[in-house]
Amino acid sequence: MASSLTKDSARPGTPGSEKTFFGHPRGLATLFMTEMWERFSYYGMRALLPLYLVAPGGLHLDAGTATAIYSVYVSLVYLLTMPGGWFGDRVWGPRKTVAIAGGVIMLGHLTLALPSSGTFYAGLALVAIGSGLLKANISTMVGQLYDGPDDPRRDGGFTVFYMGINLGAFAAPLIIGTIGESVSWHLGFALAALGMALGLVQFLIGSRNLAERSSVVPTPLSGEEKASTLRKAAIWAGIAAVFYAIVGFSGHYTLNWILVPLTLLGVIVPTMVLVRIKRDKDLDRAEQSKMSAYIWFFVAAAVFWMIYDQGGSTLSIFADSSAENSVFGWGFPVSWYQSVNPVLIMALAPVFAWFWLALNRRGKEPSTIVKFGSGLVLVGASFFLFLAPLSIAEGGHKAAALWLVAIYFTQTVGELLLSPVGLSVTTKMAPAKYASQMMGVWFLAVTAGDATTGLLSIAGVDLNKTGIVALEATLAVLAGGAVWMYRKKVKELMGDVR
């Protein structure tokens, strides 16, 4: 990336003012590369995960259990962004938290690389914890590179950063997936560890270009708060240890003793957080009204992510067993499907940005509510499309790869309609008291959606059956229709937010 660093006339005092990264503070290059390598390791491992879980040479689990494990894992990554943000704000500061997170993620991938089912789940837990710590804090550091919200380069900086995410996500299945499926599952997981190691090394070297306040703990814990937090953590850890010791020694332990509590946590915690904010007496009438509107968006987003994230589990497992994974006679690993979404995001995101701007100039840009509802309808449509390859497979034939590509394409267009709008509306509708926490609340919609998928799988629901797929598709389309039908009511609740 050195060739893209040029002399700049940035304002004095701006981090990295001597040189820039595509016209942005040089620290953005450090964070761009850190996030790219972290996403490379994360998406590479995620592409292999469901395939390894069902493979005879892997853990050889049934599809339902594999989907439940995958869904619980993804829901935990997003659930842990809230405590991850808390550690950055109260304990270590963003920079130190990201450095520690990178080390934890690397250790997790190395643990996954060990040829033992006993260490496998410990590795998954470490990657989830590290990802939660990193995800919440690295975006904060991107914002700290600029002179406040009004810096004209700020939005562009986040766009460049977002490209790093998708570059890593695109390359990972092609490299890690190929090695994992063709050579060795554990070598694939080891490559993910190497990717995170590269990201961590360049982060530590380039951290001198970050904003000084990234090392500051914004609201450090007092001595009394530290003691109280440690005491509560020790009590809960002790209760869990005693409970699982009793279950284990009594001979009743199964994987569901872990999966069920974690999936329930993924549904209960988001509900509790929303209820707590909604019932807060400190919120004025306008803020209460906006939160009522936001709950509509949150529930709709949970339905969206419930279907969308099955692209990495249900669709991947289907492709492994029932698809003709070749184009014009050229075969490719199943994990390569996971590169379709990021390459489409990189290709289509600029088109969408231009399209909304063009419509806005004509006064015809759709409202936030219409975009959101359309995203839901499209993710539902993607599962109606899924019914075709399912029917082909039930007839004893292999479904063509292009069916799956069409499903991923439809989901990606839906994501581009819903995800950026969801992030934007979250920041706009956040009550002043919860301004810094609301992004974590948005991520909880992903947690709730994936936890619901996990609960269905644990309950024995076969997510690759036409009836269930049709039901999920119908639910998403109806949710999108409901958002559109009640758009006037929601718009009224949103107040001055558009």
Side-chain angles (χ1 to χ4, degrees), residues 118-319:
T119 58
F120 178 79
Y121 297 106
L124 270 188
L126 287 169
V127 176
I129 291 167
S131 297
L133 285 169
L134 187 140
K135 195 171 185 66
N137 289 283
I138 195 162
S139 296
T140 300
M141 287 196 291
V142 173
Q144 288 173 343
L145 293 171
Y146 300 95
D147 297 337
D150 297 326
D151 190 319
R153 302 170 300 165
R154 185 184 176 93
D155 287 352
F158 274 99
T159 301
V160 173
F161 179 70
Y162 193 59
M163 292 300 286
I165 293 173
N166 285 289
L167 276 173
F170 167 69
L174 303 180
I175 299 171
I176 294 175
T178 302
I179 297 297
E181 287 189 67
S182 306
V183 182
S184 161
W185 297 108
H186 299 289
L187 182 57
F189 293 132
L191 271 180
L194 176 62
M196 190 64 254
L198 290 171
L200 180 58
V201 167
Q202 74 82 39
F203 175 78
L204 295 174
I205 293 171
S207 60
R208 65 183 182 276
N209 296 312
L210 301 176
E212 289 183 11
R213 56 188 171 135
S214 65
S215 295
V216 176
V217 181
T219 52
L221 291 171
S222 65
E224 186 180 330
E225 285 175 317
K226 281 182 183 176
S228 173
T229 302
L230 287 170
R231 185 168 60 251
K232 288 175 184 176
I235 290 170
W236 282 109
I239 290 171
V242 170
F243 174 78
Y244 283 104
I246 293 170
V247 171
F249 286 122
S250 65
H252 291 92
Y253 178 79
T254 64
L255 192 57
N256 280 350
W257 281 102
I258 293 288
L259 293 179
V260 172
L262 290 178
T263 47
L264 289 174
L265 202 64
V267 175
I268 292 168
V269 170
T271 305
M272 287 176 61
V273 169
L274 284 174
V275 169
R276 177 173 63 86
I277 295 174
K278 184 72 181 70
R279 297 178 66 180
D280 192 330
K281 302 295 183 186
D282 290 341
L283 304 191
D284 61 33
R285 193 169 182 173
E287 289 176 325
Q288 285 282 359
S289 179
K290 287 175 184 175
M291 279 307 301
S292 296
Y294 187 74
I295 288 170
W296 277 80
F297 290 109
F298 184 93
V299 173
V303 174
F304 178 90
W305 296 117
M306 178 184 75
I307 294 175
Y308 179 91
D309 274 347
Q310 287 184 59
S313 55
T314 305
L315 283 175
S316 189
I317 291 170
F318 172 82

Side-chain angles (χ1 to χ4, degrees), residues 307 376-377 379-381 383-384 468-478:
I307 294 175
L376 271 166
V377 169
V379 84
F383 260 36
F384 279 126
I468 297 301
V469 170
L471 185 63
E472 288 184 86
T474 304
L475 173 64
V477 171
L478 288 175

Side-chain angles (χ1 to χ4, degrees), residues 11-59:
R11 279 163 281 189
T14 301
S17 59
E18 300 91 4
K19 294 184 178 181
T20 67
F21 179 67
F22 295 114
H24 293 273
R26 193 175 182 181
L28 184 62
T30 299
L31 299 176
F32 175 96
M33 295 295 288
T34 305
E35 184 70 354
M36 186 190 77
W37 282 115
E38 188 273 331
R39 292 291 89 181
F40 175 84
S41 69
Y42 174 78
Y43 280 102
M45 184 276 288
R46 211 172 91 156
L48 287 182
L49 179 58
L51 304 174
Y52 173 73
L53 290 172
V54 299
L59 296 189

Side-chain angles (χ1 to χ4, degrees), residues 297 368-378 418 476-477 479-481 483-484:
F297 290 109
T368 293
I369 299 166
V370 171
K371 289 178 185 175
F372 214 88
S374 301
L376 271 166
V377 169
L378 278 170
L418 181 139
V477 171
V483 169
W484 187 83

Side-chain angles (χ1 to χ4, degrees), residues 375-399:
L376 271 166
V377 169
L378 278 170
V379 84
S382 76
F383 260 36
F384 279 126
L385 261 179
F386 189 21
L387 294 175
L390 280 173
S391 299
I392 292 168
E394 285 175 1
H397 303 285
K398 293 278 189 178

